[in-house]
Amino acid sequence: MKKTLLALVLPSLFASTVGAAEVYSDKGQSVNVYGRAYAGHDFSGEDKNANYGNDSYIRIGAKLKSDISDSLSAFGRYELQWDLADGEKQEKTKTRLAYIGLKSEVGAFSFGRQYGAVSLVSDITDTAYTNAYGGNLGVGTDHDGTGRDNSLLKYSNKFGGLQLDSSYRFDDNQDDSKSDAAYGLGAAYTLDFGLTLAAGYNASSPTDDYDASIFLVGASYETGPVKFAATYSQGSEFLAEGEDHTGYELTAEYKINKQLRAQILYNAQETEDTKSSAKADSVDDLVFGVRYDFNKSFRTVAEYRINGIKGMDDDFHLAARYSF
């Protein structure tokens, strides 16, 4: 039956469907759409932190797949987000993901704006219930191909319990004296009894004067309603020239019942000047969170952070999220 893709997609964007919704499927071609509405607010003391205030966004995405043969298929993904924290006059729109690729028995190759290989490791403890906390290992958006980044070529494959990712971020810098090319490797192995072990490495040469690199390891263990996870990172001039760093995250989550769960997250980061060897604590967070799922689509979350950095206030984040 002939129908235009637009006619199929638009009604689905406003449907209250649980999970990604398949809006088109015909002769090996499929389109799935998904989205999220997040409304949050950060409350802090007199010394307002960077997260203070409204934290809201709308996110919409689409996953595309086309079968070429029995063993080869093409795929694509696009994800757009509207950040609403500053109101209508200062609305910020950003493309989070935009990539295409080919998948066969030898693995998946993709190119575009996507996650770098070491995200396979950092994601182990990227489990905060709200947007405000965690994520201080050094992996970041538009940072040398570690988080989401442009012009990134990626290979991914799974061999039983072993997941292997590799990525190369092509140089987009117009200045010949500088470079944002980078490469990354990541591996994660999941054992039958709930233990996952992971490691990753990412390197770049931002200028002719110095090289930057980061090494990560992580592990998680899940048994029944309890899950523990830990990650550790060590960076050589990765955050900035002349600055090394170490970071780690620890999480423990307990599913109290089908709808209610609680989590503790500890995140720390220490920087060291490569010339003077002076060290400083840049992150020292202890976060207590609770999450209540009304159903698969709608949840409310709350997190309280005890900030261990001198002169920084504790803060509290409250949010509601609807996903389809």
PDB file of all heavy atoms in Angstrom, residues 9-23 33-37 60 295-298 322-324:
ATOM      1  N   VAL A   9       4.597   9.563   9.580  1.00  0.00           N
ATOM      2  CA  VAL A   9       5.382  10.002  10.722  1.00  0.00           C
ATOM      3  C   VAL A   9       4.667  11.022  11.589  1.00  0.00           C
ATOM      4  O   VAL A   9       4.649  10.926  12.812  1.00  0.00           O
ATOM      5  CB  VAL A   9       6.744  10.577  10.256  1.00  0.00           C
ATOM      6  CG1 VAL A   9       7.480  11.235  11.410  1.00  0.00           C
ATOM      7  CG2 VAL A   9       7.588   9.478   9.632  1.00  0.00           C
ATOM      8  N   LEU A  10       4.042  12.025  10.956  1.00  0.00           N
ATOM      9  CA  LEU A  10       3.493  13.129  11.730  1.00  0.00           C
ATOM     10  C   LEU A  10       2.474  12.704  12.784  1.00  0.00           C
ATOM     11  O   LEU A  10       2.549  13.149  13.934  1.00  0.00           O
ATOM     12  CB  LEU A  10       2.872  14.175  10.781  1.00  0.00           C
ATOM     13  CG  LEU A  10       3.880  15.029  10.013  1.00  0.00           C
ATOM     14  CD1 LEU A  10       3.146  16.000   9.089  1.00  0.00           C
ATOM     15  CD2 LEU A  10       4.777  15.784  10.978  1.00  0.00           C
ATOM     16  N   PRO A  11       1.503  11.851  12.488  1.00  0.00           N
ATOM     17  CA  PRO A  11       0.572  11.451  13.548  1.00  0.00           C
ATOM     18  C   PRO A  11       1.265  10.720  14.683  1.00  0.00           C
ATOM     19  O   PRO A  11       0.862  10.834  15.840  1.00  0.00           O
ATOM     20  CB  PRO A  11      -0.418  10.532  12.810  1.00  0.00           C
ATOM     21  CG  PRO A  11      -0.293  10.884  11.372  1.00  0.00           C
ATOM     22  CD  PRO A  11       1.148  11.259  11.190  1.00  0.00           C
ATOM     23  N   SER A  12       2.315   9.979  14.369  1.00  0.00           N
ATOM     24  CA  SER A  12       2.990   9.183  15.393  1.00  0.00           C
ATOM     25  C   SER A  12       3.768  10.029  16.365  1.00  0.00           C
ATOM     26  O   SER A  12       4.015   9.621  17.494  1.00  0.00           O
ATOM     27  CB  SER A  12       3.942   8.178  14.723  1.00  0.00           C
ATOM     28  OG  SER A  12       3.227   7.355  13.852  1.00  0.00           O
ATOM     29  N   LEU A  13       4.191  11.222  15.945  1.00  0.00           N
ATOM     30  CA  LEU A  13       4.967  12.075  16.841  1.00  0.00           C
ATOM     31  C   LEU A  13       4.149  12.529  18.036  1.00  0.00           C
ATOM     32  O   LEU A  13       4.695  12.898  19.071  1.00  0.00           O
ATOM     33  CB  LEU A  13       5.485  13.302  16.071  1.00  0.00           C
ATOM     34  CG  LEU A  13       6.444  13.008  14.918  1.00  0.00           C
ATOM     35  CD1 LEU A  13       6.900  14.316  14.280  1.00  0.00           C
ATOM     36  CD2 LEU A  13       7.641  12.214  15.394  1.00  0.00           C
ATOM     37  N   PHE A  14       2.845  12.512  17.895  1.00  0.00           N
ATOM     38  CA  PHE A  14       1.986  12.991  18.971  1.00  0.00           C
ATOM     39  C   PHE A  14       1.236  11.855  19.658  1.00  0.00           C
ATOM     40  O   PHE A  14       0.385  12.091  20.511  1.00  0.00           O
ATOM     41  CB  PHE A  14       0.981  14.014  18.413  1.00  0.00           C
ATOM     42  CG  PHE A  14       1.639  15.188  17.764  1.00  0.00           C
ATOM     43  CD1 PHE A  14       1.829  15.234  16.396  1.00  0.00           C
ATOM     44  CD2 PHE A  14       2.121  16.244  18.528  1.00  0.00           C
ATOM     45  CE1 PHE A  14       2.450  16.311  15.800  1.00  0.00           C
ATOM     46  CE2 PHE A  14       2.744  17.321  17.937  1.00  0.00           C
ATOM     47  CZ  PHE A  14       2.910  17.361  16.569  1.00  0.00           C
ATOM     48  N   ALA A  15       1.558  10.634  19.307  1.00  0.00           N
ATOM     49  CA  ALA A  15       0.893   9.487  19.920  1.00  0.00           C
ATOM     50  C   ALA A  15       1.525   9.156  21.251  1.00  0.00           C
ATOM     51  O   ALA A  15       2.709   9.347  21.459  1.00  0.00           O
ATOM     52  CB  ALA A  15       0.978   8.280  18.982  1.00  0.00           C
ATOM     53  N   SER A  16       0.727   8.648  22.179  1.00  0.00           N
ATOM     54  CA  SER A  16       1.234   8.251  23.499  1.00  0.00           C
ATOM     55  C   SER A  16       1.675   6.793  23.459  1.00  0.00           C
ATOM     56  O   SER A  16       1.139   5.936  24.149  1.00  0.00           O
ATOM     57  CB  SER A  16       0.143   8.463  24.554  1.00  0.00           C
ATOM     58  OG  SER A  16      -0.217   9.810  24.625  1.00  0.00           O
ATOM     59  N   THR A  17       2.660   6.507  22.625  1.00  0.00           N
ATOM     60  CA  THR A  17       3.135   5.143  22.432  1.00  0.00           C
ATOM     61  C   THR A  17       4.288   4.851  23.368  1.00  0.00           C
ATOM     62  O   THR A  17       5.177   5.666  23.531  1.00  0.00           O
ATOM     63  CB  THR A  17       3.583   4.938  20.979  1.00  0.00           C
ATOM     64  OG1 THR A  17       2.536   5.366  20.109  1.00  0.00           O
ATOM     65  CG2 THR A  17       3.899   3.487  20.711  1.00  0.00           C
ATOM     66  N   VAL A  18       4.302   3.689  23.984  1.00  0.00           N
ATOM     67  CA  VAL A  18       5.379   3.283  24.874  1.00  0.00           C
ATOM     68  C   VAL A  18       6.534   2.749  24.047  1.00  0.00           C
ATOM     69  O   VAL A  18       6.358   1.866  23.227  1.00  0.00           O
ATOM     70  CB  VAL A  18       4.887   2.213  25.866  1.00  0.00           C
ATOM     71  CG1 VAL A  18       6.050   1.727  26.722  1.00  0.00           C
ATOM     72  CG2 VAL A  18       3.770   2.767  26.738  1.00  0.00           C
ATOM     73  N   GLY A  19       7.731   3.271  24.245  1.00  0.00           N
ATOM     74  CA  GLY A  19       8.905   2.832  23.509  1.00  0.00           C
ATOM     75  C   GLY A  19       8.926   3.421  22.111  1.00  0.00           C
ATOM     76  O   GLY A  19       8.050   4.185  21.709  1.00  0.00           O
ATOM     77  N   ALA A  20       9.976   3.088  21.339  1.00  0.00           N
ATOM     78  CA  ALA A  20      10.070   3.559  19.967  1.00  0.00           C
ATOM     79  C   ALA A  20       8.912   2.996  19.158  1.00  0.00           C
ATOM     80  O   ALA A  20       8.587   1.819  19.236  1.00  0.00           O
ATOM     81  CB  ALA A  20      11.407   3.144  19.364  1.00  0.00           C
ATOM     82  N   ALA A  21       8.298   3.856  18.356  1.00  0.00           N
ATOM     83  CA  ALA A  21       7.114   3.462  17.596  1.00  0.00           C
ATOM     84  C   ALA A  21       7.494   3.220  16.144  1.00  0.00           C
ATOM     85  O   ALA A  21       8.077   4.089  15.489  1.00  0.00           O
ATOM     86  CB  ALA A  21       6.047   4.540  17.685  1.00  0.00           C
ATOM     87  N   GLU A  22       7.175   2.034  15.621  1.00  0.00           N
ATOM     88  CA  GLU A  22       7.402   1.758  14.210  1.00  0.00           C
ATOM     89  C   GLU A  22       6.286   2.423  13.409  1.00  0.00           C
ATOM     90  O   GLU A  22       5.109   2.077  13.544  1.00  0.00           O
ATOM     91  CB  GLU A  22       7.423   0.254  13.956  1.00  0.00           C
ATOM     92  CG  GLU A  22       7.798  -0.094  12.520  1.00  0.00           C
ATOM     93  CD  GLU A  22       7.893  -1.588  12.283  1.00  0.00           C
ATOM     94  OE1 GLU A  22       6.830  -2.244  12.296  1.00  0.00           O
ATOM     95  OE2 GLU A  22       9.024  -2.085  12.122  1.00  0.00           O
ATOM     96  N   VAL A  23       6.665   3.387  12.574  1.00  0.00           N
ATOM     97  CA  VAL A  23       5.665   4.148  11.822  1.00  0.00           C
ATOM     98  C   VAL A  23       5.631   3.754  10.356  1.00  0.00           C
ATOM     99  O   VAL A  23       4.740   4.169   9.618  1.00  0.00           O
ATOM    100  CB  VAL A  23       5.923   5.663  11.949  1.00  0.00           C
ATOM    101  CG1 VAL A  23       5.780   6.105  13.390  1.00  0.00           C
ATOM    102  CG2 VAL A  23       7.298   6.026  11.403  1.00  0.00           C
ATOM    103  N   VAL A  33      10.242   5.992  15.325  1.00  0.00           N
ATOM    104  CA  VAL A  33      10.422   7.300  15.945  1.00  0.00           C
ATOM    105  C   VAL A  33      10.335   7.164  17.462  1.00  0.00           C
ATOM    106  O   VAL A  33       9.694   6.244  17.987  1.00  0.00           O
ATOM    107  CB  VAL A  33       9.396   8.333  15.450  1.00  0.00           C
ATOM    108  CG1 VAL A  33       9.535   8.575  13.966  1.00  0.00           C
ATOM    109  CG2 VAL A  33       7.969   7.907  15.803  1.00  0.00           C
ATOM    110  N   TYR A  34      10.993   8.055  18.171  1.00  0.00           N
ATOM    111  CA  TYR A  34      10.980   8.065  19.630  1.00  0.00           C
ATOM    112  C   TYR A  34      11.144   9.506  20.102  1.00  0.00           C
ATOM    113  O   TYR A  34      11.532  10.396  19.323  1.00  0.00           O
ATOM    114  CB  TYR A  34      12.107   7.189  20.191  1.00  0.00           C
ATOM    115  CG  TYR A  34      13.493   7.642  19.798  1.00  0.00           C
ATOM    116  CD1 TYR A  34      14.234   8.497  20.621  1.00  0.00           C
ATOM    117  CD2 TYR A  34      14.073   7.226  18.599  1.00  0.00           C
ATOM    118  CE1 TYR A  34      15.504   8.917  20.257  1.00  0.00           C
ATOM    119  CE2 TYR A  34      15.340   7.636  18.236  1.00  0.00           C
ATOM    120  CZ  TYR A  34      16.057   8.476  19.066  1.00  0.00           C
ATOM    121  OH  TYR A  34      17.312   8.900  18.700  1.00  0.00           O
ATOM    122  N   GLY A  35      10.842   9.742  21.358  1.00  0.00           N
ATOM    123  CA  GLY A  35      10.962  11.103  21.865  1.00  0.00           C
ATOM    124  C   GLY A  35      10.927  11.151  23.373  1.00  0.00           C
ATOM    125  O   GLY A  35      10.686  10.141  24.055  1.00  0.00           O
ATOM    126  N   ARG A  36      11.175  12.354  23.888  1.00  0.00           N
ATOM    127  CA  ARG A  36      11.192  12.558  25.328  1.00  0.00           C
ATOM    128  C   ARG A  36      10.866  14.014  25.649  1.00  0.00           C
ATOM    129  O   ARG A  36      11.320  14.928  24.964  1.00  0.00           O
ATOM    130  CB  ARG A  36      12.568  12.214  25.902  1.00  0.00           C
ATOM    131  CG  ARG A  36      12.703  12.443  27.407  1.00  0.00           C
ATOM    132  CD  ARG A  36      14.126  12.229  27.884  1.00  0.00           C
ATOM    133  NE  ARG A  36      14.572  10.866  27.637  1.00  0.00           N
ATOM    134  CZ  ARG A  36      15.812  10.445  27.895  1.00  0.00           C
ATOM    135  NH1 ARG A  36      16.717  11.287  28.373  1.00  0.00           N
ATOM    136  NH2 ARG A  36      16.134   9.188  27.658  1.00  0.00           N
ATOM    137  N   ALA A  37      10.074  14.203  26.687  1.00  0.00           N
ATOM    138  CA  ALA A  37       9.838  15.531  27.247  1.00  0.00           C
ATOM    139  C   ALA A  37      10.339  15.519  28.687  1.00  0.00           C
ATOM    140  O   ALA A  37       9.933  14.655  29.475  1.00  0.00           O
ATOM    141  CB  ALA A  37       8.357  15.876  27.201  1.00  0.00           C
ATOM    142  N   ILE A  60      13.449  14.544  20.065  1.00  0.00           N
ATOM    143  CA  ILE A  60      12.755  13.691  19.106  1.00  0.00           C
ATOM    144  C   ILE A  60      13.801  13.015  18.228  1.00  0.00           C
ATOM    145  O   ILE A  60      14.835  13.607  17.892  1.00  0.00           O
ATOM    146  CB  ILE A  60      11.761  14.502  18.237  1.00  0.00           C
ATOM    147  CG1 ILE A  60      10.860  13.583  17.410  1.00  0.00           C
ATOM    148  CG2 ILE A  60      12.476  15.510  17.369  1.00  0.00           C
ATOM    149  CD1 ILE A  60       9.781  12.925  18.219  1.00  0.00           C
ATOM    150  N   ASN A 295       4.548   4.349  34.861  1.00  0.00           N
ATOM    151  CA  ASN A 295       4.446   3.294  33.861  1.00  0.00           C
ATOM    152  C   ASN A 295       5.720   3.353  33.024  1.00  0.00           C
ATOM    153  O   ASN A 295       6.692   4.016  33.404  1.00  0.00           O
ATOM    154  CB  ASN A 295       3.170   3.439  33.013  1.00  0.00           C
ATOM    155  CG  ASN A 295       3.054   4.813  32.361  1.00  0.00           C
ATOM    156  OD1 ASN A 295       4.066   5.447  32.039  1.00  0.00           O
ATOM    157  ND2 ASN A 295       1.838   5.268  32.159  1.00  0.00           N
ATOM    158  N   LYS A 296       5.744   2.678  31.885  1.00  0.00           N
ATOM    159  CA  LYS A 296       6.954   2.643  31.069  1.00  0.00           C
ATOM    160  C   LYS A 296       7.277   3.981  30.422  1.00  0.00           C
ATOM    161  O   LYS A 296       8.407   4.212  29.984  1.00  0.00           O
ATOM    162  CB  LYS A 296       6.822   1.568  29.986  1.00  0.00           C
ATOM    163  CG  LYS A 296       6.819   0.145  30.525  1.00  0.00           C
ATOM    164  CD  LYS A 296       6.752  -0.873  29.402  1.00  0.00           C
ATOM    165  CE  LYS A 296       6.791  -2.285  29.952  1.00  0.00           C
ATOM    166  NZ  LYS A 296       6.727  -3.309  28.863  1.00  0.00           N
ATOM    167  N   SER A 297       6.305   4.878  30.371  1.00  0.00           N
ATOM    168  CA  SER A 297       6.509   6.160  29.705  1.00  0.00           C
ATOM    169  C   SER A 297       6.798   7.313  30.661  1.00  0.00           C
ATOM    170  O   SER A 297       7.587   8.196  30.342  1.00  0.00           O
ATOM    171  CB  SER A 297       5.278   6.529  28.862  1.00  0.00           C
ATOM    172  OG  SER A 297       5.119   5.639  27.793  1.00  0.00           O
ATOM    173  N   PHE A 298       6.147   7.316  31.827  1.00  0.00           N
ATOM    174  CA  PHE A 298       6.210   8.493  32.694  1.00  0.00           C
ATOM    175  C   PHE A 298       6.877   8.165  34.023  1.00  0.00           C
ATOM    176  O   PHE A 298       6.547   7.160  34.668  1.00  0.00           O
ATOM    177  CB  PHE A 298       4.797   9.028  32.950  1.00  0.00           C
ATOM    178  CG  PHE A 298       4.779  10.273  33.791  1.00  0.00           C
ATOM    179  CD1 PHE A 298       5.268  11.468  33.295  1.00  0.00           C
ATOM    180  CD2 PHE A 298       4.273  10.243  35.085  1.00  0.00           C
ATOM    181  CE1 PHE A 298       5.251  12.628  34.077  1.00  0.00           C
ATOM    182  CE2 PHE A 298       4.257  11.380  35.866  1.00  0.00           C
ATOM    183  CZ  PHE A 298       4.751  12.577  35.359  1.00  0.00           C
ATOM    184  N   TYR A 322       8.682  12.223  30.402  1.00  0.00           N
ATOM    185  CA  TYR A 322       7.758  11.401  29.611  1.00  0.00           C
ATOM    186  C   TYR A 322       8.478  10.957  28.337  1.00  0.00           C
ATOM    187  O   TYR A 322       9.049  11.776  27.607  1.00  0.00           O
ATOM    188  CB  TYR A 322       6.499  12.185  29.239  1.00  0.00           C
ATOM    189  CG  TYR A 322       5.511  11.343  28.439  1.00  0.00           C
ATOM    190  CD1 TYR A 322       4.594  10.544  29.104  1.00  0.00           C
ATOM    191  CD2 TYR A 322       5.532  11.339  27.052  1.00  0.00           C
ATOM    192  CE1 TYR A 322       3.698   9.746  28.381  1.00  0.00           C
ATOM    193  CE2 TYR A 322       4.649  10.552  26.325  1.00  0.00           C
ATOM    194  CZ  TYR A 322       3.741   9.747  26.998  1.00  0.00           C
ATOM    195  OH  TYR A 322       2.863   8.961  26.299  1.00  0.00           O
ATOM    196  N   SER A 323       8.464   9.671  28.066  1.00  0.00           N
ATOM    197  CA  SER A 323       9.160   9.126  26.907  1.00  0.00           C
ATOM    198  C   SER A 323       8.223   8.260  26.080  1.00  0.00           C
ATOM    199  O   SER A 323       7.299   7.644  26.601  1.00  0.00           O
ATOM    200  CB  SER A 323      10.369   8.268  27.344  1.00  0.00           C
ATOM    201  OG  SER A 323      11.270   9.013  28.135  1.00  0.00           O
ATOM    202  N   PHE A 324       8.477   8.238  24.783  1.00  0.00           N
ATOM    203  CA  PHE A 324       7.771   7.271  23.926  1.00  0.00           C
ATOM    204  C   PHE A 324       8.743   6.730  22.889  1.00  0.00           C
ATOM    205  O   PHE A 324       9.825   7.259  22.713  1.00  0.00           O
ATOM    206  CB  PHE A 324       6.572   7.930  23.223  1.00  0.00           C
ATOM    207  CG  PHE A 324       6.925   8.922  22.168  1.00  0.00           C
ATOM    208  CD1 PHE A 324       7.098   8.519  20.841  1.00  0.00           C
ATOM    209  CD2 PHE A 324       7.090  10.260  22.473  1.00  0.00           C
ATOM    210  CE1 PHE A 324       7.412   9.442  19.843  1.00  0.00           C
ATOM    211  CE2 PHE A 324       7.410  11.183  21.484  1.00  0.00           C
ATOM    212  CZ  PHE A 324       7.574  10.786  20.185  1.00  0.00           C
TER     213      PHE A 324
END
